[in-house]
Amino acid sequence: MLYMIGLGLGDAKDITVKGLEVLRRCSRVYLEAYTSVLTVGKEVLEEFYGRKLILADREEVEQEANNILKDADISDVAFLVVGDPFGATTHSDLILRATKLGIPYRVIHNASIMNAVGCCGLQLYRFGETVSVVFWTDTWRPESFFDKVKKNRQNGVHTLCLLDIKVKEQSLENLIKGRKIYEPPRYMSVNQAAQQLLEIVQNQRIRGEEPVTEETLCVGLARVGAEDQKIAAGTLQQMCTVDLGGPLHSLIITGGSLHPLEMEMLSLFSIPENSSESQSIDGL
Amino acid sequence: MLYMIGLGLGDAKDITVKGLEVLRRCSRVYLEAYTSVLTVGKEVLEEFYGRKLILADREEVEQEANNILKDADISDVAFLVVGDPFGATTHSDLILRATKLGIPYRVIHNASIMNAVGCCGLQLYRFGETVSVVFWTDTWRPESFFDKVKKNRQNGVHTLCLLDIKVKEQSLENLIKGRKIYEPPRYMSVNQAAQQLLEIVQNQRIRGEEPVTEETLCVGLARVGAEDQKIAAGTLQQMCTVDLGGPLHSLIITGGSLHPLEMEMLSLFSIPENSSESQSIDGL
């Protein structure tokens, strides 16, 4: 059996009791290590789970999936995913491969950023399509995702922006020379995302469109589900400077009109006037 | 401290390790019992959690929230919610009340139907606004939610339909006579939802609109996250008769064009030709 087990958000103890019981009896336990991260590293997880974890990077999962699935028809293999196993599309692929090999699978769900963002008070059923914001380079500055943000705004629904993660990336030089030297991991911050968005807003304005402006109400979230979680509600302009601390970050562009309950919840997290500091939540 | 703890979907062991540790040290533990249910009852939860649970119905949570929050400034109180604490808007209200009373709160997230539906293979980021489908009566047959389904279809995104739950409802007669006698709980099935939707589709057609037809591809899901979970992909017409077993059910109206990976995943769950039986997933 292939077990796809969600680890939730936060730390080692955010796994479910069921997930923990299952992984402890599996013959091999893989940790998917490229679509998200917890606030603790592999060693802490290994100690709490009581099992050695095999790190599975994108290359391994996408190109060598058969290694992961080896003998899963006669023994139990666990594939651990930060958040929920269906947060990233790449995991559907693993399930399809298993099914083709006649290997049964089972999913043990957990929280993902897709539902945990509800903690800011914006109502989950009022979210439209989710977008991904990728790191721009000097030569690659995609804006196409912004069409979805515009459509969501027109429909009065919120947009969750998932921010880019670069893990185990090679520099162009190392890539060309075939050197397996990797750059340090990079996680896009709310500040970086907001700055890229502002540039798009300015380009849109030139074309006479203003679906989003510097004043559009946004919510920045950091380390959702962790002890030191931070949430800040303010304008897109404020999101460029608000200090939310370490990764992972997410950004929400609100849909315009808010329900009174949403408004009241967001006010708990509003950025104080004349400050670039976010207000942290007591007790979180 | 007020702890809002998600129980996930499925059974007693779907709580997180963190959630379980926290609830065991709380002085009072409430179980919210009106927006969703697990596959096991209160007694099973009490035995596994090792704590007595106080059932909190809608009346209690909305009108007597102060009872729940009593002494939460000097002791720890847990409020357990099936799924994730932010699946239902009513729980924001409890947090706002706590905050006004100076009581700190903390959220322990878990899977909710909002993210776990990803298990059918439709990609979570391609969902639009979520709708609720309520039980029709002879005199009350609301269709307004269908505007959102239409909008989602126009935008090519999927619609998750949350199906009605009636717990602790009184008959009109008992209500008028002030008798606290409650009807047995009712959970809308995919069949019932599809039948109501077909009636709306026919009404739309009279008006010359056909955003959804009998042939629109839908996905019915039952007991997501439980051992005996069932998923069936087929036309809206097929959803009227497919047998998915006991509650809870959810229905997805697809957005039209599907990603090849979505298509391939859905094919695992397609209803066989000439059959009104859903195909259950091996190993689930």
Side-chain angles (χ1 to χ4, degrees):
Chain A
M1 176 86 82
L2 169 68
Y3 286 98
M4 308 280 287
I5 303 175
L7 301 184
L9 309 163
D11 59 37
K13 290 187 175 177
D14 285 299
I15 192 170
T16 64
V17 173
K18 189 178 285 173
L20 186 59
E21 283 184 1
V22 166
L23 85 78
R24 283 185 173 159
R25 65 165 193 256
C26 284
S27 57
R28 296 195 309 284
V29 184
Y30 292 89
L31 173 64
E32 186 269 86
Y34 59 95
T35 60
S36 191
V37 288
L38 292 173
T39 56
V40 295
K42 175 169 168 272
E43 292 69 29
V44 176
L45 295 182
E46 285 180 328
E47 191 176 332
F48 182 71
Y49 298 160
R51 291 299 310 269
K52 276 278 160 210
L53 303 180
I54 308 164
L55 275 188
D57 58 32
R58 189 181 296 272
E59 217 172 88
E60 171 107 352
V61 178
E62 292 179 359
Q63 287 161 37
E64 293 163 66
N66 290 350
N67 289 345
I68 295 172
L69 297 174
K70 193 164 172 283
D71 298 330
D73 49 342
I74 50 169
S75 65
D76 289 336
V77 173
F79 187 78
L80 311 184
V81 180
V82 173
D84 186 72
F86 289 98
T89 49
T90 172
H91 306 133
S92 290
D93 188 63
L94 193 61
I95 285 174
L96 287 169
R97 283 169 191 265
T99 307
K100 277 174 200 155
L101 294 169
I103 297 167
Y105 72 92
R106 178 139 190 239
V107 177
I108 298 175
H109 290 286
N110 209 319
S112 84
I113 190 67
M114 307 285 283
N115 72 306
V117 288
C119 64
C120 73
L122 294 174
Q123 293 168 3
L124 285 180
Y125 66 87
R126 297 196 58 220
F127 277 75
E129 241 181 308
T130 304
V131 302
S132 293
V133 181
V134 298
F135 279 116
W136 278 354
T137 67
D138 289 343
T139 53
W140 192 62
R141 305 169 85 77
E143 296 193 2
S144 57
F145 76 92
F146 198 73
D147 289 343
K148 291 182 183 168
V149 178
K150 282 198 282 189
K151 214 186 282 179
N152 283 341
R153 290 276 298 175
Q154 279 155 12
N155 292 329
V157 294
H158 314 308
T159 309
L160 170 61
C161 304
L162 301 173
L163 309 186
D164 206 0
I165 292 177
K166 292 279 186 206
V167 181
K168 222 179 163 186
E169 297 278 318
Q170 288 167 284
S171 68
L172 191 60
E173 194 189 338
N174 286 327
L175 191 70
I176 291 169
K177 295 192 174 161
R179 293 190 294 221
K180 296 224 163 187
I181 300 170
Y182 302 100
E183 302 298 303
R186 290 192 299 152
Y187 306 97
M188 186 185 283
S189 68
V190 160
N191 298 159
Q192 291 168 309
Q195 280 151 13
Q196 290 189 186
L197 276 163
L198 269 192
E199 200 170 313
I200 299 176
V201 163
Q202 282 147 14
N203 293 342
Q204 295 274 324
R205 188 168 292 143
I206 293 167
R207 290 180 224 132
E209 290 190 71
E210 259 188 322
V212 176
T213 72
E214 290 80 355
E215 297 306 312
T216 297
L217 181 59
C218 294
V219 184
L221 303 101
R223 302 172 306 285
V224 170
E227 295 267 338
D228 64 343
Q229 162 182 308
K230 267 193 172 184
I231 303 175
T235 64
L236 179 57
Q237 187 72 60
Q238 286 177 309
M239 291 296 134
C240 294
T241 50
V242 66
D243 180 11
L244 294 173
L248 294 179
H249 289 193
S250 304
L251 178 67
I252 299 166
I253 301 169
T254 64
S257 71
L258 294 185
H259 185 280
L261 204 57
E262 291 184 312
M263 211 57 190
E264 210 178 339
M265 279 292 291
L266 283 192
S267 70
L268 301 180
F269 311 118
S270 62
I271 300 172
E273 292 279 332
N274 306 318
S275 160
S276 64
E277 281 294 302
S278 74
Q279 196 174 358
S280 68
I281 326 159
D282 281 337
L284 268 172
Chain B
M1 175 87 80
L2 170 68
Y3 286 98
M4 308 279 288
I5 303 175
L7 301 185
L9 309 163
D11 59 36
K13 290 187 174 176
D14 286 299
I15 192 170
T16 64
V17 174
K18 191 180 282 172
L20 186 59
E21 283 184 2
V22 166
L23 85 79
R24 283 184 173 160
R25 66 165 193 259
C26 282
S27 57
R28 293 194 311 283
V29 184
Y30 292 90
L31 173 63
E32 186 268 87
Y34 58 95
T35 60
S36 191
V37 288
L38 292 173
T39 57
V40 295
K42 174 169 169 273
E43 292 69 30
V44 176
L45 295 182
E46 285 180 330
E47 190 176 332
F48 182 70
Y49 298 160
R51 289 300 308 272
K52 276 277 160 209
L53 303 181
I54 307 164
L55 275 188
D57 58 32
R58 189 182 296 271
E59 217 173 270
E60 170 105 354
V61 176
E62 293 180 358
Q63 287 160 36
E64 293 162 66
N66 290 350
N67 289 344
I68 296 172
L69 297 173
K70 191 164 174 286
D71 298 332
D73 50 340
I74 51 169
S75 65
D76 290 335
V77 172
F79 187 78
L80 311 185
V81 180
V82 173
D84 186 71
F86 288 98
T89 48
T90 172
H91 306 132
S92 291
D93 187 63
L94 193 60
I95 285 174
L96 287 168
R97 282 168 192 265
T99 308
K100 276 173 201 155
L101 293 169
I103 296 166
Y105 72 92
R106 181 143 185 236
V107 177
I108 298 176
H109 290 285
N110 209 319
S112 85
I113 190 66
M114 308 286 283
N115 72 307
V117 287
C119 64
C120 72
L122 293 174
Q123 292 168 4
L124 285 179
Y125 66 87
R126 297 195 59 220
F127 276 75
E129 241 181 307
T130 303
V131 302
S132 293
V133 181
V134 297
F135 278 117
W136 278 355
T137 66
D138 289 342
T139 53
W140 192 62
R141 305 169 84 78
E143 295 194 2
S144 57
F145 76 92
F146 199 74
D147 290 344
K148 291 182 183 167
V149 178
K150 283 198 281 188
K151 214 185 281 176
N152 284 341
R153 289 276 297 175
Q154 281 156 10
N155 292 328
V157 294
H158 314 308
T159 308
L160 170 61
C161 305
L162 301 174
L163 309 187
D164 206 359
I165 291 177
K166 292 280 186 205
V167 181
K168 222 180 163 185
E169 296 278 318
Q170 287 167 283
S171 68
L172 192 60
E173 193 189 337
N174 285 328
L175 190 70
I176 290 170
K177 295 195 175 159
R179 291 192 294 222
K180 296 224 163 184
I181 300 169
Y182 302 101
E183 302 298 302
R186 290 192 300 152
Y187 306 98
M188 187 184 283
S189 69
V190 161
N191 298 159
Q192 291 169 311
Q195 280 152 13
Q196 290 189 186
L197 277 162
L198 270 192
E199 199 171 315
I200 299 176
V201 163
Q202 283 148 13
N203 293 341
Q204 296 275 322
R205 188 169 292 143
I206 294 167
R207 288 180 225 131
E209 289 190 73
E210 262 190 317
V212 176
T213 73
E214 290 79 356
E215 298 305 311
T216 297
L217 181 60
C218 295
V219 184
L221 305 101
R223 301 172 306 285
V224 169
E227 296 267 339
D228 65 342
Q229 162 181 309
K230 266 194 172 184
I231 305 176
T235 64
L236 179 57
Q237 186 73 60
Q238 286 176 307
M239 291 297 134
C240 293
T241 51
V242 66
D243 179 12
L244 294 172
L248 294 179
H249 289 193
S250 304
L251 178 68
I252 299 168
I253 301 169
T254 65
S257 71
L258 294 185
H259 185 279
L261 204 56
E262 292 183 312
M263 211 57 188
E264 209 178 340
M265 279 292 291
L266 282 194
S267 70
L268 300 181
F269 311 118
S270 63
I271 299 172
E273 291 278 332
N274 305 320
S275 160
S276 64
E277 281 295 299
S278 73
Q279 197 175 358
S280 68
I281 326 157
D282 280 337
L284 267 175

